[in-house]
């Protein structure tokens, strides 16, 4: 309040001089005046004095008041709350106090991240980002003052600096990290190829990273769609701002100012900081400007990274020209990937070889990778709302606009699937006609979805809304958008094809193509240079899963799913075949299975549907079951009844006679009913005295085998020992170096009792087997251990 100055200077206020007033207002008041400790808030925070605590509380409430005012001013639409400066950066408890109780506004702090010094300290459920951004306040103020006053000339980097920096950094990078520079041809969408490459390298190396030289400016912060995709799919927990050099805007600004060398330096600096703790980094180039090839070749040269060129079928000539540009810049061109090949692959290989390019991967055309999904269309239509069904990964093959009379439009219902129909929300007759048609078995082509244009919240026909809410059995997504029909159709048509972490089917399909067509020697070259992944130790969940999927795709085993009448099993069968993980035999009632598939909107192409009573080799199964159980009094009539009425017996006999390699059951049956047929027919392995189970737990810190958690309630010491040995051998089979913890309610000799003695005996027996058979170090079997001691090294 300016009146304070007048009051203090007058007689009533003591007649203070200017110097005294300055001392009162700027040195004795504020935090010092409240706390009696210091004007430095860091000192106040350390004090437990009553006045100091009061000063801190007032300071926190002042921040909360301003924060609340801004939230109201922004109508609650807050992208991020950022703490910075000396106090914001260095006081975790203050950050926690400031945001306490704001969960209802979508703001919540993760206490562990807050205390641990993370940049992003928001909880997983926080809708608003909560961040700690370090800044040098004095330097920032000085630079802004200099720029405002225009007292210094703008810095221009010497022209020789990039080359020198590149030469110096080449040595540094070769010491720590191997990188591959990916450049796509003009018009090529290379996110799926980049993701598949990342997947392959992640299966061979522990610390794999993804870096964009120039990131596209997103709606908030630096949200580049490829960085978002890689972070979400591979669970990369680093700050996204570390994963790129500059934004497009920043790059264009530097080029406009003639600061090309400074642009390269900035990208190099950020790359070196990001790659310091990585074994391998995939560097993704962003095409921008009129001379993007020249920029890309110079950037690859500066990074000292070999280049991988990616193009679509028909780009072979352009690939050759671009390769020459990279070679002129002294960049090693590692090869090329060509996607979408519709003819003979060997002809494309020959074309590349003739221009001196190594064919790293030649990928056949897959329509789904070049089409948008319904879910992607919802993203394109900003603000669109799903009124009915699941806007999933259904493929949109064509867009049709319903403007005709119903009778005329019915003539145009497709015999093929995949049409996305657009019509105005006022056309209730058209909407009802389409929903009715989708319930008819005589309409061969199922719609990808229905988009209602001109939608306004709260103004929809109430009867139509009522009907949509009762259509659970109709698996057609109905989407509403406020835009008109022409705008909607144009937005979907003009938007490029893209991937998100939710594009599970596209990602699986792309990775499956790479598994089939990628040159393994190409990957080996980089893995060997990067030092390879050490054997042993914990294996990450994504690496484990990818390894299993790759082996499964290679082996193509036949798996029987006996519970085909269960809708979940039908969906699982579709996923397995779509991802090309195995061959599937689905046992059940064909009409029920077909109905489930239609309701789910899934494809069962390639799935062998078997009705036990009609199986062509049923007699062979009957004879085999009768022979196995004849001594127990089973007749052929009983054997036939079991095989036609109990699907687990049918699945077990399919395995027993090598008609299938494995069986998955238990979704609709108890463990006892699932296991009993196998025990009666296949029986236990030689030397085994009991049956036990294994759970593969894909945890964030690695994959663990838990056993036995399903069958043996109170095993003896001998059985417990056998379970431990089985778990260890199972882990080895799946590429996990075994360290076995024999769990109990006490660790070591900290307690005693009958259960403790049993675990001690079991541990001794298991170690003896490990020593005699030599499959693992006996000392890696420990017990008794409590769970926390088994999983936490600190304990």
């Amino acid at each position: 309040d300016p009146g304070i100055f007048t009051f203090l200077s007058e007689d009533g206020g003591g007649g203070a001089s200017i110097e005294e007033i300055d001392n009162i207002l700027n040195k004795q008041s504020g935090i010092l005046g409240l706390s009696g400790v210091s004007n430095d808030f860091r000192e106040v925070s350390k004090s437990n004095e009553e006045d100091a605590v009061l000063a801190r509380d007032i300071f926190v409430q002042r921040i909360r008041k301003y924060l609340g005012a801004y939230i109201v001013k922004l109508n609650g639409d807050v992208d991020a709350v950022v703490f910075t400066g000396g106090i914001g950066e260095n006081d975790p408890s203050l950050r926690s106090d400031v945001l306490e109780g704001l969960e209802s506004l979508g703001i919540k702090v993760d206490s562990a991240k807050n205390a641990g010094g993370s940049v992003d300290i928001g909880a997983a459920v926080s809708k608003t980002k909560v961040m700690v951004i370090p800044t040098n306040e004095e330097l920032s103020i000085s630079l802004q003052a200099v720029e405002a006053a225009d007292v210094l000339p703008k810095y221009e980097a010497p022209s020789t600096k990039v080359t020198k920096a590149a030469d110096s950094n080449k040595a540094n990078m070769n010491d720590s990290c191997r990188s591959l520079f990916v450049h796509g041809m003009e018009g090529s969408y290379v996110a799926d190829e980049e993701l598949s490459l990342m997947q392959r390298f992640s299966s061979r190396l522990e610390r794999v990273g993804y870096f964009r030289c120039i990131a596209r400016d997103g709606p908030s912060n630096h949200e580049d769609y490829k960085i978002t995709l890689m972070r979400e799919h591979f669970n990369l927990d680093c700050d996204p701002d570390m994963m790129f050099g500059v934004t497009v805007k920043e790059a264009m600004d530097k080029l406009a100012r003639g600061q090309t060398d400074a642009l390269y330096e900035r990208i190099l600096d950020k790359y070196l900081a990001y790659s310091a703790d990585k074994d391998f980094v995939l560097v993704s180039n962003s095409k921008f400007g009129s001379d993007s090839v020249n920029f890309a070749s110079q950037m690859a040269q500066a990074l000292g990274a070999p280049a991988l060129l990616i193009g679509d079928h028909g780009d072979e000539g352009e690939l050759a020209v671009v390769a020459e540009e990279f070679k002129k810049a002294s960049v090693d061109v590692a090869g090329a990937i060509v996607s979408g090949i519709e003819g003979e692959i060997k002809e494309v290989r020959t074309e590349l070889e003739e221009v001196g390019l190594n064919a790293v991967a030649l990928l056949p055309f897959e329509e789904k990778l070049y089409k948008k999904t319904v879910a992607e269309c919802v993203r394109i239509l900003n603000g669109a709302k799903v009124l009915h069904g699941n806007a999933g990964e259904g493929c949109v093959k064509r867009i049709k606009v319903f403007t005709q009379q119903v009778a005329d439009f019915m003539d145009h219902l497709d015999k093929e699937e995949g049409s996305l129909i657009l019509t105005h929300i006022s056309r209730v007759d058209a909407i009802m006609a389409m929903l009715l048609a989708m319930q008819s078995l005589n309409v061969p082509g199922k719609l990808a979805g229905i988009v209602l244009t001109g939608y306004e919240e709260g103004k929809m026909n109430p009867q139509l809304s009522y009907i949509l809410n009762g259509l659970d059995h109709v698996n057609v997504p109905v989407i509403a958008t406020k835009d008109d029909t022409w705008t909607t159709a144009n937005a979907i048509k003009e938007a490029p094809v893209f991937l998100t972490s939710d594009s599970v089917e596209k990602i699986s399909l792309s990775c499956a193509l790479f598994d089939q067509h990628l040159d393994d020697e190409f990957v080996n070259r980089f893995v060997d240079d990067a030092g390879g992944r050490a054997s042993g130790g914990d294996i990450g969940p994504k690496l484990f899963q990818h390894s299993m999927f790759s082996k499964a795709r290679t082996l193509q085993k036949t798996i029987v799913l006996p519970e085909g009448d269960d809708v979940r099993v039908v969906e699982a069968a579709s996923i397995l075949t779509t991802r090309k993980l195995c061959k599937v035999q689905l046992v059940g009632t064909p009409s029920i299975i077909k109905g489930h598939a239609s309701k789910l909107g899934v494809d069962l192409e390639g799935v062998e549907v078997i009705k036990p009573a009609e199986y062509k080799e049923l007699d062979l199964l009957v004879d085999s079951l009768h022979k196995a159980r004849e001594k127990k009094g089973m007749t052929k009539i009983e054997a036939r009844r079991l095989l036609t009425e109990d699907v687990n017996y049918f699945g077990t006999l399919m395995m027993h006679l090598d008609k299938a390699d494995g069986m998955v059951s238990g979704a609709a049956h108890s463990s006892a009913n699932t296991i009993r047929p196998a025990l009666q027919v296949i029986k236990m392995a030689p030397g085994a005295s009991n049956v036990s189970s294994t759970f593969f737990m894909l945890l964030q810190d690695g994959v663990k085998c838990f056993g036995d958690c399903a069958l043996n309630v109170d095993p003896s010491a001998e059985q417990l020992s056998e379970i431990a040995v089985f778990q260890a051998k199972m882990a080895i089979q799946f590429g996990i170096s075994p360290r076995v913890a024999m769990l109990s309610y006490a660790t070591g000799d900290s307690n005693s009792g009958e259960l403790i003695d049993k675990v001690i005996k079991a541990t001794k027996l298991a170690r003896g087997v490990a020593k005699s058979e030599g499959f693992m170090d006996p000392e890696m079997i420990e017990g008794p251990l409590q769970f926390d001691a088994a999983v936490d090294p600190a304990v």
Side-chain angles (χ1 to χ4, degrees):
D1 184 349
I4 292 176
F5 186 91
T6 305
F7 172 77
L8 291 174
S9 63
E10 293 175 346
D11 291 340
S17 66
I18 291 177
E19 290 79 9
E20 289 171 328
I21 293 173
D22 176 67
N23 184 57
I24 292 170
L25 295 181
N26 295 320
K27 297 179 181 177
Q28 297 178 19
S29 300
I31 294 296
L32 174 61
L34 285 167
S35 67
V37 175
S38 171
N39 255 328
D40 188 334
F41 193 80
R42 291 169 293 188
E43 296 299 321
V44 175
S45 291
K46 294 175 184 177
S47 175
N48 292 321
E49 295 290 333
E50 186 177 352
D51 285 348
V53 173
L54 174 65
R56 186 183 184 283
D57 288 345
I58 290 175
F59 186 78
V60 167
Q61 293 307 317
R62 178 68 64 87
I63 298 174
R64 285 172 63 85
K65 183 183 81 171
Y66 282 115
L67 184 61
Y70 277 117
I71 291 173
V72 171
K73 183 69 175 176
L74 294 169
N75 296 317
D77 186 17
V78 182
D79 292 311
V81 175
V82 179
F83 291 90
T84 190
I87 300 171
E89 289 176 41
N90 301 305
D91 196 334
S93 62
L94 177 133
R95 297 194 293 259
S96 180
D97 291 343
V98 166
L99 299 183
E100 183 181 2
L102 299 185
E103 291 87 349
S104 61
L105 299 176
I107 303 173
K108 184 173 177 59
V109 174
D110 185 307
S111 56
K113 291 181 180 178
N114 185 34
S118 298
V119 172
D120 186 346
I121 63 171
V125 297
S126 182
K127 296 179 181 178
T128 299
K129 273 189 172 291
V130 184
M131 307 179 77
V132 180
I133 307 294
T135 184
N136 186 327
E137 293 173 287
E138 291 82 0
L139 179 61
S140 297
I141 293 169
S142 301
L143 290 175
Q144 290 173 39
V146 166
E147 185 172 351
D150 201 23
V151 296
L152 290 176
K154 294 189 182 297
Y155 172 74
E156 295 289 347
S159 60
T160 59
K161 199 156 187 175
V162 169
T163 304
K164 290 178 180 178
D167 291 339
S168 170
N169 289 330
K170 276 183 183 178
N172 293 336
M173 285 186 288
N174 288 338
D175 287 341
S176 60
C177 174
R178 195 78 167 97
S179 60
L180 176 64
F181 187 93
V182 175
H183 178 75
M185 299 302 100
E186 198 65 40
S188 295
Y189 178 72
V190 299
D192 45 355
E193 287 92 344
E194 289 181 350
L195 186 142
S196 298
L197 283 167
M198 283 282 291
Q199 190 88 4
R200 179 56 73 91
F201 281 112
S202 295
S203 70
R204 301 285 302 279
L205 296 167
E206 182 68 41
R207 302 172 300 172
V208 174
Y210 180 82
F211 184 86
R212 293 269 277 166
C213 296
I214 300 175
R216 297 187 181 279
D217 304 274
S220 64
N221 228 4
H222 298 307
E223 185 184 303
D224 181 284
Y225 72 101
K226 284 190 179 180
I227 290 176
T228 301
L229 170 65
M230 299 300 174
R231 290 186 77 243
E232 291 178 354
H233 183 73
F234 293 101
N235 197 27
L236 304 177
D237 59 359
C238 57
D239 182 356
D241 282 3
M242 293 291 292
M243 296 175 68
F244 68 91
V246 295
T247 65
V248 171
K249 184 178 181 299
E250 291 167 339
M252 297 302 290
D253 182 63
K254 287 191 179 295
L255 291 177
R257 293 170 180 264
Q259 298 176 349
T260 306
D261 293 346
L263 172 61
Y264 286 112
E265 284 189 39
R266 175 62 176 161
I267 296 172
L268 275 171
D269 286 343
K270 289 198 69 176
Y271 170 79
L272 290 173
Y274 174 72
S275 64
D277 61 349
K278 307 291 189 298
D279 295 323
F280 174 85
V281 175
L282 190 73
V283 181
S284 173
N285 182 46
S286 302
K287 299 184 286 291
F288 84 104
S290 58
D291 196 6
S292 60
V293 175
N294 179 61
F295 170 82
S297 59
Q298 294 298 323
M299 194 70 250
Q301 191 270 342
L303 292 169
L308 175 65
L309 309 181
I310 300 178
D312 291 325
H313 188 204
D315 289 342
E316 290 81 355
E318 185 183 355
L319 285 166
V321 173
V322 172
E324 285 304 310
E325 289 296 317
F326 275 81
K327 290 174 183 176
K328 287 178 184 177
S330 301
V331 175
D332 174 24
V333 179
I337 293 176
V338 179
S339 299
I341 300 173
E342 295 188 79
E344 287 289 328
I345 287 181
K346 63 181 181 182
E347 292 179 5
V348 179
R349 187 182 303 278
T350 300
E351 285 186 59
L352 293 177
E353 289 174 351
E354 287 176 351
V355 294
L357 279 174
N358 174 40
V360 173
L362 303 179
L363 308 174
F365 177 80
E366 280 285 354
E367 185 181 36
K368 285 185 178 179
L369 295 177
Y370 292 84
K371 298 291 184 182
K372 302 178 184 74
T373 65
V374 177
E376 289 160 3
C377 290
V378 173
R379 286 204 179 199
I380 293 167
L381 302 175
N382 189 27
K385 182 177 181 179
V386 180
L387 300 179
H388 169 73
N390 177 28
E393 295 195 68
C395 183
V396 177
K397 298 180 179 179
R398 64 195 71 80
I399 301 171
K400 292 194 172 186
V401 178
F402 197 146
T403 58
Q404 302 167 292
Q405 295 298 315
V406 171
D408 295 329
F409 189 82
M410 288 295 104
D411 294 334
H412 297 282
L413 277 176
D414 290 307
K415 294 182 179 179
E416 298 177 357
E417 297 183 350
S419 289
L420 186 68
I421 307 296
L422 276 57
T423 192
H424 195 271
I425 196 166
S426 62
R427 290 292 307 274
V428 176
D429 59 332
I431 299 166
M432 296 302 296
M434 285 186 285
L435 292 174
L436 178 62
M438 288 305 98
Q439 296 181 64
S440 173
L441 296 177
N442 294 326
V443 178
K446 297 298 181 183
L447 298 179
I450 300 170
V451 179
L452 307 181
T453 60
Y455 173 79
E456 291 183 59
E457 189 75 39
K459 295 185 178 181
M460 184 176 173
N461 184 305
Q463 291 302 318
L464 178 59
S465 178
Y466 179 78
I467 290 170
L468 286 175
N469 289 335
L471 288 176
D472 291 343
H473 61 291
V474 180
N475 190 42
V476 178
V478 180
I479 301 151
T481 175
K482 66 182 188 314
D483 295 326
D484 60 61
T485 304
W486 186 89
T487 302
T488 301
N490 194 57
I492 296 173
K493 181 175 178 292
E494 296 299 324
V497 176
F498 60 96
L499 279 182
T500 72
S501 59
D502 295 326
S503 305
V504 177
E505 190 172 332
K506 281 187 176 180
I507 290 172
S508 297
L509 184 56
S510 178
C511 291
L513 283 176
F514 258 74
D515 281 340
Q516 289 178 268
H517 299 283
L518 183 65
D519 180 7
D520 287 330
E521 286 305 310
F522 171 81
V523 177
N524 291 340
R525 167 187 170 187
F526 287 89
V527 170
D528 293 341
D529 287 342
R533 178 183 168 86
S535 60
D538 290 336
I539 183 171
K542 284 193 176 293
L543 174 58
F544 178 83
Q545 185 169 291
H546 179 265
S547 176
M548 294 304 103
F549 283 3
S550 295
K551 289 177 182 177
R553 288 190 183 107
T554 301
L555 295 171
Q556 282 299 297
K557 296 292 187 179
T558 299
I559 303 299
V560 58
L561 305 178
E563 300 168 308
D565 288 352
D566 188 301
V567 65
R568 297 167 297 172
V569 178
V570 173
E571 186 174 8
S574 174
I575 292 170
L576 289 168
T577 51
T578 299
R579 298 185 182 182
K580 300 180 180 178
L581 295 174
C582 62
K583 300 171 186 175
V584 176
Q585 294 173 335
L586 193 56
V587 180
T589 309
S591 60
I592 294 176
I593 291 171
K594 184 178 179 182
H596 288 330
S598 178
K599 181 180 178 180
L600 292 167
V602 299
D603 183 10
L604 292 182
E605 183 181 354
V607 175
E608 183 185 359
V609 178
I610 301 174
K611 184 177 181 180
E614 298 175 1
Y615 183 55
K616 60 184 178 181
E617 296 189 74
L618 179 60
D619 289 343
L620 180 63
L621 272 63
V622 170
D623 290 342
S624 182
L625 178 56
H626 174 250
K627 182 179 179 181
R629 303 294 292 166
E630 186 177 16
K631 292 181 180 180
K632 297 293 183 179
M634 181 178 287
T635 64
K636 283 194 175 184
I637 294 175
E638 176 66 8
R640 184 176 295 274
R641 186 190 68 78
L642 283 174
L643 287 166
T644 54
E645 295 180 6
D646 190 324
V647 291
N648 284 317
Y649 273 97
F650 185 88
T652 299
L653 265 292
M654 293 291 282
M655 284 193 296
H656 185 55
L657 295 176
D658 293 328
K659 305 295 182 184
D661 299 298
M663 182 177 87
V664 178
S665 186
H669 293 84
S670 66
S671 297
N673 288 336
T674 301
I675 296 170
R676 185 180 299 111
L679 287 175
Q680 291 178 353
V681 179
I682 298 175
K683 305 188 186 303
M684 287 187 288
S689 63
N690 73 310
V691 176
S692 61
S693 68
T694 299
F695 287 80
F696 282 93
M697 306 295 285
L698 275 63
L699 307 175
Q700 189 171 356
D701 62 342
V703 179
K704 306 290 191 293
C705 293
F706 281 32
D708 168 32
C709 302
L711 299 176
N712 297 285
V713 178
D714 185 20
S716 65
E718 289 74 17
Q719 289 174 324
L720 195 58
S721 166
E722 190 175 306
I723 292 169
V725 169
F726 168 76
Q727 294 292 322
K729 291 181 177 179
M730 177 69 76
I732 293 170
Q733 280 185 296
F734 282 83
I736 301 171
S737 182
R739 289 169 293 175
V740 181
M742 309 290 284
L743 298 185
S744 186
Y745 60 81
T747 296
D749 56 1
S750 63
N751 210 325
S752 61
E754 186 178 335
L755 290 176
I756 297 289
D757 294 340
K758 180 169 71 172
V759 175
I760 291 173
K761 182 180 178 181
T763 303
K764 185 177 180 180
L765 290 171
R767 283 179 170 178
V769 175
K771 184 176 181 180
S772 63
E773 295 185 11
F775 61 87
M776 68 175 291
D777 182 356
E779 296 302 314
M780 290 293 100
I781 303 176
E782 293 186 70
L785 290 172
Q786 289 175 288
F787 183 77
D788 58 350
V791 299
D792 188 347
V795 178

